Amino acid sequence: MARADGDPASTVGPSRPASSRRPVRREGAEHYLFLTLVSFAGTVIATRSFLELTGYPRIGGGELHIAHALFGGILLFVASLLPLVLSGRSVYRATAVLGGIGIGLFIDEVGKLITSQNNYFYPAAAPIIYATFLLAAFVWVRARRRVDAGPRSQLLTALQLLEESVEGDLQEDERLVLRTRLESAARHATDAEQRRLAAELLEFVESKDLEVVPAPPQRFRRIRRWWTERRHKWLGGRGLRVVLVAALFVSGAQAIVALGTAVIQVTGINPTGSTRLFSLAMLHLVLEAVAGILLIAGASLLLMPRRRRLGVRLSNDGLLVALTLADLASFYLRQFAAIETAVFHAALLAGVIAYRNTLAAEAAWRDSAAAPAGTIPQPGPQPGTTPVTEGSRDLQG
């Protein structure tokens, strides 16, 4: 059969279905988001501290006042342009840092943006800044979860990791991640082109001619080795449990005592001067007391070998109530003096999560020890052997 222009029609197979182009999580996304969070928080704290120490100077004179929110907007604009024009891990890191600094400078002046008097010290500004940080932290927590195991996602993230081979900086742990993802894509992909691409890339990754460079020497190697040798003794298992139980008890007891003291003294308080402020203060104390009850209950259960998992769950819930609700109200009442309390609660939550992981590892070890002789272990990542990429390695280090 000939076409209208006389050329013979080429034989064309059935067309592939159009891809939905559903976005997938970028390789190392949790690392870039962590940089954004640190830059965000550090910028707000540094800006507030600098302005207070220097007496809140102004840039400009007369009618001109150049607010630092303008510099934040410029940095956000630069951060949005960089990944559109350039690619590479260094670009993504720069984007994360510039974005964090930019949003920190911008949102630090949110009080001026939401009041007709341009009030930098508007009481609601601090909780708005804190709530924004919490939302960013929630995105980071979500990004730390397991990568989508679908073949399309595995193949796309593998292509991102191949950048290291192009740059001549592919390391053995990255090669292991590439092999794992390409094997999964080649095995489970339903599209023939995806299977073929995965198979060819897998052959390239497994080639003996592939250049793999040794891992760079770790910074602060002696300090890392010293900490590694003592970490489990001091914080692992029983040591971490003792520290957590003491801190949870103290934090919970303080919250309950504060509420009890306020209830006793409430008859001598005249709330008519500021009913809203009085109500918010009482709500804050109630929320802290709820978190305190959960923390004390969780700490008590951590002392019981058969109830430790429930204790971890209650402690986790109590700290989430404290961080997301009680501390949010505290930022309105105490402004940025509440940072210390929020940091303490965040550190406690990190400790609870670390202890939960310790319990899970101990349970896995007991299950493997109790397995009958000759039992074939199930495939899957084992504790301490999960492949890591540069982003996750930087976080762990």
Side-chain angles (χ1 to χ4, degrees):
M1 179 179 178
R3 294 187 303 183
D5 57 5
D7 294 336
S10 58
T11 304
V12 180
S15 60
R16 298 172 58 192
S19 172
S20 63
R21 292 191 177 271
R22 178 175 58 86
V24 299
R25 200 194 75 174
R26 178 178 294 281
E27 176 64 31
E30 69 280 3
H31 170 63
Y32 305 130
L33 285 172
F34 182 75
L35 292 177
T36 301
L37 284 175
V38 173
S39 304
F40 177 6
T43 299
V44 173
I45 295 173
T47 302
R48 291 271 170 169
S49 301
F50 172 78
L51 292 178
E52 185 175 356
L53 291 174
T54 56
Y56 298 92
R58 294 180 57 183
I59 301 178
E63 296 181 353
L64 291 179
H65 171 54
I66 303 177
H68 52 266
L70 177 62
F71 298 102
I74 293 174
L75 290 178
L76 287 173
F77 181 61
V78 173
S80 66
L81 289 180
L82 279 178
L84 298 179
V85 179
L86 303 172
S87 64
R89 284 183 171 176
S90 59
V91 173
Y92 303 143
R93 290 195 189 98
T95 296
V97 173
L98 291 177
I101 296 174
I103 188 60
L105 291 173
F106 174 80
I107 204 159
D108 182 64
E109 295 208 283
V110 67
K112 292 183 177 181
L113 304 177
I114 61 176
T115 59
S116 57
Q117 298 84 13
N118 293 328
N119 186 3
Y120 180 72
F121 302 100
Y122 189 61
I128 290 175
I129 294 172
Y130 180 65
T132 305
F133 180 81
L134 284 180
L135 289 175
F138 174 76
V139 175
W140 174 64
V141 170
R142 295 286 298 180
R144 283 172 56 87
R145 296 189 175 184
R146 184 174 299 179
V147 182
D148 181 12
R152 178 174 171 271
S153 176
Q154 298 280 30
L155 192 53
L156 287 174
T157 52
L159 289 172
Q160 295 173 25
L161 268 176
L162 282 171
E163 174 191 336
E164 299 304 303
S165 178
V166 175
E167 299 292 347
D169 191 32
L170 184 68
Q171 299 169 22
E172 186 58 40
D173 55 352
E174 294 167 337
R175 182 181 188 177
L176 177 60
V177 174
L178 275 170
R179 183 186 296 118
T180 302
R181 293 184 177 175
L182 290 173
E183 286 177 348
S184 175
R187 187 182 306 114
H188 298 107
T190 57
D191 185 88
E193 287 295 307
Q194 292 181 3
R195 288 197 306 271
R196 186 166 66 90
L197 177 60
E200 293 180 357
L201 290 177
L202 183 60
E203 182 180 355
F204 168 76
V205 169
E206 293 180 338
S207 171
K208 296 181 180 180
D209 298 329
L210 179 65
E211 182 180 359
V212 179
V213 300
Q218 295 182 347
R219 292 166 290 185
F220 311 107
R221 178 182 300 177
R222 293 182 179 179
I223 298 177
R224 288 170 181 264
R225 183 183 304 168
W226 178 87
W227 170 247
T228 301
E229 293 173 351
R230 292 161 176 81
R231 177 178 57 188
H232 183 75
K233 180 180 179 180
W234 291 354
L235 298 180
R238 184 178 180 182
L240 179 59
R241 184 170 66 251
V242 171
V243 174
L244 277 180
V245 168
L248 292 171
F249 266 122
V250 170
S251 181
Q254 286 180 342
I256 296 175
V257 169
L259 178 62
T261 303
V263 170
I264 293 173
Q265 298 176 350
V266 72
T267 55
I269 297 177
N270 182 14
T272 57
S274 179
T275 305
R276 182 180 62 181
L277 191 61
F278 174 80
S279 301
L280 182 60
M282 293 304 299
L283 176 62
H284 168 244
L285 290 174
V286 170
L287 290 172
E288 279 198 335
V290 171
I293 293 172
L294 290 172
L295 294 183
I296 291 178
S300 302
L301 292 174
L302 286 177
L303 298 174
M304 306 177 187
R306 297 183 180 274
R307 294 290 184 269
R308 285 174 184 163
R309 288 188 178 181
L310 179 58
V312 167
R313 186 180 309 167
L314 291 179
S315 301
N316 183 81
D317 293 343
L319 289 169
L320 288 178
V321 171
L323 279 167
T324 58
L325 298 176
D327 289 347
L328 186 63
S330 181
F331 267 92
Y332 187 94
L333 297 168
R334 301 173 54 207
Q335 293 298 292
F336 288 92
I339 289 179
E340 295 178 0
T341 303
V343 170
F344 174 71
H345 288 155
L348 263 183
L349 181 60
V352 169
I353 294 174
Y355 186 66
R356 181 186 64 189
N357 295 338
T358 299
L359 289 179
E362 290 176 353
W365 181 83
R366 287 194 300 268
D367 292 343
S368 61
T375 302
I376 300 177
Q378 294 298 320
Q382 300 299 322
T385 61
T386 303
V388 294
T389 61
E390 182 176 345
S392 58
R393 185 171 62 249
D394 289 346
L395 270 178
Q396 293 172 355

